[in-house]
Amino acid sequence: MLTDNFLRGRRRRELSDEEKEAIESVLTAPVTLPRRKVVTSRGDVVTRSTFLISGFMCRYMDGADGHRQLVSIQTPGDFVDLHGYPLQRLDHDIATLSECTVAYAPHDKLTQIIERLPHLGRVLWFSTLLDAAMHREWIFRLGRLDAVGRVAHMLCETYSRLDAVGLVEDNSFAWPLTQQDLGEACGLTSVHVNRTLRVLREAGMVEVSDRIVTMMDFDRLASTGEFQPDYLYFDNHTRTP
């Protein structure tokens, strides 16, 4: 099923077979999007939501000076813009970071299955609340942590989310983000990100190279980034190597 990773490790067990089939039934056939493609622009009226099957996407906002701030990173199994269903337009841009495979859920079809299956509606609501929880954590990270802590937290979060959907192997995962992307997520310059990654590598915590992140000491990295996974609402409350 296209939606096998939807809420995997996070209350997916609460979905009945009928509800899983209903979500699957509203999705279009998968399409492939190239890397660095703007999918939706701020102010666009949206009539469908995007389900991410593979790859990385982001939500971002541009400042008046032209500098971009990433406000979220989306990983496989995410409904990237489900909040656009009740809002009907977006107040930010959405783009791919890597080549992505997606399917679309037309909003009129979402209305039909939610009206027929109200519990499924609550589960989809839970999905959007997860986004809100991550936004709060990102605010904390940007407001209270130093550069090393911000990057450490970001890497721990991504590891945990990918591990939940089976995309971590031997403590490593694919990482299509550039140092500029990471800087735009953490409020840092590319130069500062480069220095920070070197500090973490030399401390024996994490290695980032050739588009791969390898955790060498997750516990120390999590401590450095003050990372606690409770805001991700995993079934087992924790995702560590």
Side-chain angles (χ1 to χ4, degrees):
M1 297 178 74
L2 299 178
T3 56
D4 279 346
N5 283 335
F6 177 59
L7 294 182
R8 184 175 167 188
R10 293 160 156 172
R11 295 176 61 177
R12 182 175 175 82
R13 67 192 185 285
E14 297 180 12
L15 289 172
S16 67
D17 289 342
E18 181 184 13
E19 290 168 334
K20 293 173 185 176
E21 291 171 1
I23 297 175
E24 198 80 14
S25 71
V26 304
L27 293 178
T28 64
V31 298
T32 300
L33 303 177
R35 63 189 298 270
R36 309 290 163 177
K37 176 181 173 59
V38 177
V39 177
T40 307
S41 297
R42 181 172 184 162
D44 284 354
V45 175
V46 290
T47 60
R48 63 185 186 180
S49 290
T50 307
F51 181 75
L52 181 57
I53 300 169
S54 67
F56 282 62
M57 298 179 71
C58 68
R59 303 176 195 159
Y60 68 94
M61 302 176 75
D62 287 320
D65 58 2
H67 291 147
R68 184 175 71 161
Q69 177 68 46
L70 299 192
V71 295
S72 76
I73 291 175
Q74 308 305 133
T75 56
D78 289 349
F79 261 111
V80 178
D81 48 4
L82 188 58
H83 54 292
Y85 170 54
L87 293 174
Q88 300 183 353
R89 64 176 177 83
L90 298 183
D91 49 35
H92 53 277
D93 300 282
I94 295 176
T96 61
L97 291 169
S98 66
E99 181 177 276
C100 294
T101 301
V102 304
Y104 299 105
H107 290 169
D108 58 344
K109 291 186 176 181
L110 281 176
T111 297
Q112 292 173 14
I113 64 171
I114 289 171
E115 289 179 348
R116 180 167 60 88
L117 301 167
H119 175 260
L120 177 57
R122 292 192 293 273
V123 172
L124 292 172
W125 184 18
F126 169 74
S127 175
T128 64
L129 292 176
L130 284 176
D131 290 334
M134 284 188 279
H135 283 310
R136 286 190 291 273
E137 194 74 10
W138 278 43
I139 291 169
F140 162 76
R141 183 172 72 215
L142 288 172
R144 304 305 303 170
L145 300 181
D146 61 13
V148 173
R150 293 178 196 180
V151 172
H153 188 287
M154 181 77 206
L155 295 175
C156 286
E157 177 182 283
T158 306
Y159 173 96
S160 300
R161 293 171 67 190
L162 293 178
D163 186 45
V165 295
L167 293 177
V168 170
E169 185 175 351
D170 296 327
N171 293 334
S172 298
F173 59 87
W175 179 255
L177 278 70
T178 64
Q179 290 188 2
Q180 181 175 338
D181 295 330
L182 185 54
E184 289 171 348
C186 295
L188 305 169
T189 66
S190 298
V191 172
H192 207 167
V193 168
N194 184 273
R195 293 171 181 163
T196 300
L197 290 174
R198 185 170 64 247
V199 168
L200 293 172
R201 181 182 66 251
E202 292 175 350
M205 292 187 233
V206 67
E207 174 75 28
V208 182
S209 63
D210 298 324
R211 307 296 187 191
I212 298 292
V213 172
T214 300
M215 294 293 181
M216 296 186 288
D217 191 334
F218 184 93
D219 289 342
R220 284 181 61 209
L221 192 69
S223 177
T224 299
E226 299 185 32
F227 173 75
Q228 300 181 42
D230 57 336
Y231 70 98
L232 295 171
Y233 289 88
F234 293 125
D235 293 341
N236 62 358
H237 304 296
T238 183
R239 285 278 165 182
T240 59

